[in-house]
Amino acid sequence: MNEIEFLHKDISCNKNIVVKIKNATVYIDEREILHNINWEVEKGDKYFILGANGAGKTTLVKTMLGYIWPFYGATVEILGQRFGNVNLNELRKKIAWVSPFIQQHLARELTGIRMVLSGPDGYLGFYRNANERELEEAKNLLKMLNASHLENKSILGMSSGEQMKILIARALLTKPELMILDEPNVYLDIAEREFLLNTINQLAQNHPELTIIFISQRIEDILPIFNKGMILNSGKIDITGTREEVLTKENLKKAFGVDIKLISGNKGRLWAVIE
């Protein structure tokens, strides 16, 4: 292979990298939260990040979104755009982020439907009139999530589970290239959690081109569709690889500090039991 062919191959390969982070160390209030993160996610990957509370999962997400910046010398590229040379507000419009963290910034006067409609604009508020197509799409998404009754309800008058459904509908309305689900079912009861996981599974199957990163501290929430992943432990990557390589008793004991027995369900999900 000559030099031109090599360069052409290298460029074409890079087009398939949706997340690329190199040598990223993050400090918050002079305390190291992430240490030397080196990580890539390819286009269309269904990728999970597992870790205990305080492992650095949400800090990693905020680094991907440009809300937190790593120490000098790191490289962060999202959707082929290198931080430092990109308009972050425009980039974030291509990323759907669903997280309980967002709920802290919700405006009391917003109704469910207006919060959903705000997605494509990239703001946590809706400051214009929606057209008929946008309104129809937003209502259809709420219907899909069994949340049509929340259209005209105040955001801050909703339960945490109801708010999460609104945020997921908002994310889907953006037609994103990258979707980050940051512990989206943490406030949901069992029935709501299973409904949401089924919705995520259908979304992943129906949109193979969509890159989805699913973050959780619960092993049973990691659906079989998420066939690649990592364990984050005290700000460091313990292991990355296939689902089978990552979700082992040994890796989980190291991450959570307890002996864990894995029970496989009939649909391929794993359930954790403390031994």
Side-chain angles (χ1 to χ4, degrees):
M1 180 183 298
N2 61 38
E3 184 178 1
I4 294 176
E5 289 173 330
F6 176 79
L7 289 172
H8 179 73
K9 180 179 179 181
D10 185 56
I11 291 170
S12 64
C13 287
N14 287 341
K15 290 181 180 178
N16 291 323
I17 302 300
V18 172
V19 176
K20 182 176 182 179
I21 299 178
K22 294 178 62 177
N23 307 320
T25 296
V26 174
Y27 288 87
I28 298 178
D29 295 331
E30 299 184 352
R31 184 166 66 95
E32 186 181 83
I33 307 298
L34 296 176
H35 177 76
N36 195 32
I37 300 297
N38 290 277
W39 178 48
E40 289 186 355
V41 178
E42 296 182 355
K43 181 177 175 61
D45 275 352
K46 308 299 183 281
Y47 201 104
F48 68 85
I49 300 175
L50 179 68
N53 282 334
K57 302 185 299 296
T58 295
T59 299
L60 180 57
V61 171
K62 292 179 184 177
T63 302
M64 283 190 279
L65 292 166
Y67 292 119
I68 293 176
W69 286 71
F71 197 64
Y72 178 79
T75 298
V76 179
E77 291 184 12
I78 306 297
L79 299 175
Q81 303 295 312
R82 179 173 293 194
F83 285 15
N85 299 303
V86 63
N87 183 323
L88 285 173
N89 288 328
E90 290 302 314
L91 178 63
R92 289 173 189 146
K93 292 179 182 180
K94 302 176 183 179
I95 303 170
W97 178 35
V98 177
S99 168
F101 172 79
I102 298 176
Q103 293 169 303
Q104 302 172 20
H105 304 278
L106 299 182
R108 182 179 300 274
E109 66 274 12
L110 275 181
T111 60
I113 191 68
R114 291 185 69 79
M115 187 63 191
V116 174
L117 287 165
S118 73
D121 292 348
Y123 299 103
L124 289 177
F126 194 59
Y127 306 104
R128 61 180 177 82
N129 293 321
N131 60 47
E132 291 184 8
R133 179 187 55 79
E134 290 174 318
L135 193 59
E136 181 181 3
E137 288 184 6
K139 288 185 175 183
N140 286 339
L141 286 170
L142 287 175
K143 184 177 180 180
M144 181 187 75
L145 292 167
N146 285 348
S148 294
H149 62 291
L150 302 176
E151 279 188 24
N152 299 311
K153 188 172 182 179
S154 167
I155 285 288
L156 295 188
M158 298 179 188
S159 69
S160 296
E162 289 173 335
Q163 288 180 350
M164 192 55 58
K165 288 184 177 182
I166 293 296
L167 291 176
I168 290 171
R170 177 182 182 272
L172 293 174
L173 192 64
T174 66
K175 297 180 176 59
E177 296 180 37
L178 169 63
M179 176 173 282
I180 302 172
L181 301 170
D182 186 3
E183 302 197 56
N185 48 14
V186 67
Y187 295 127
L188 304 185
D189 62 31
I190 292 176
E192 288 180 322
R193 182 185 68 174
E194 292 304 308
F195 179 83
L196 175 58
L197 288 174
N198 184 57
T199 301
I200 292 170
N201 192 58
Q202 291 178 352
L203 175 69
Q205 290 180 337
N206 293 337
H207 298 275
E209 78 289 350
L210 176 61
T211 306
I212 302 178
I213 298 175
F214 181 84
I215 297 152
S216 181
Q217 57 180 293
R218 296 195 294 217
I219 298 158
E220 60 269 23
D221 287 355
I222 302 173
L223 300 168
I225 195 76
F226 294 101
N227 57 3
K228 294 182 182 179
M230 75 153 76
I231 291 179
L232 200 60
N233 187 2
S234 300
K236 301 177 182 178
I237 297 176
D238 266 355
I239 185 171
T240 63
T242 66
R243 177 186 179 87
E244 291 74 23
E245 291 170 335
V246 173
L247 298 180
T248 69
K249 291 175 59 176
E250 294 77 14
N251 292 336
L252 296 173
K253 180 178 181 179
K254 183 178 179 182
F256 293 98
V258 293
D259 289 312
I260 294 176
K261 179 180 180 180
L262 292 174
I263 299 175
S264 180
N266 58 5
K267 293 185 179 180
R269 283 173 69 182
L270 295 174
W271 302 82
V273 178
I274 305 298
E275 290 190 313

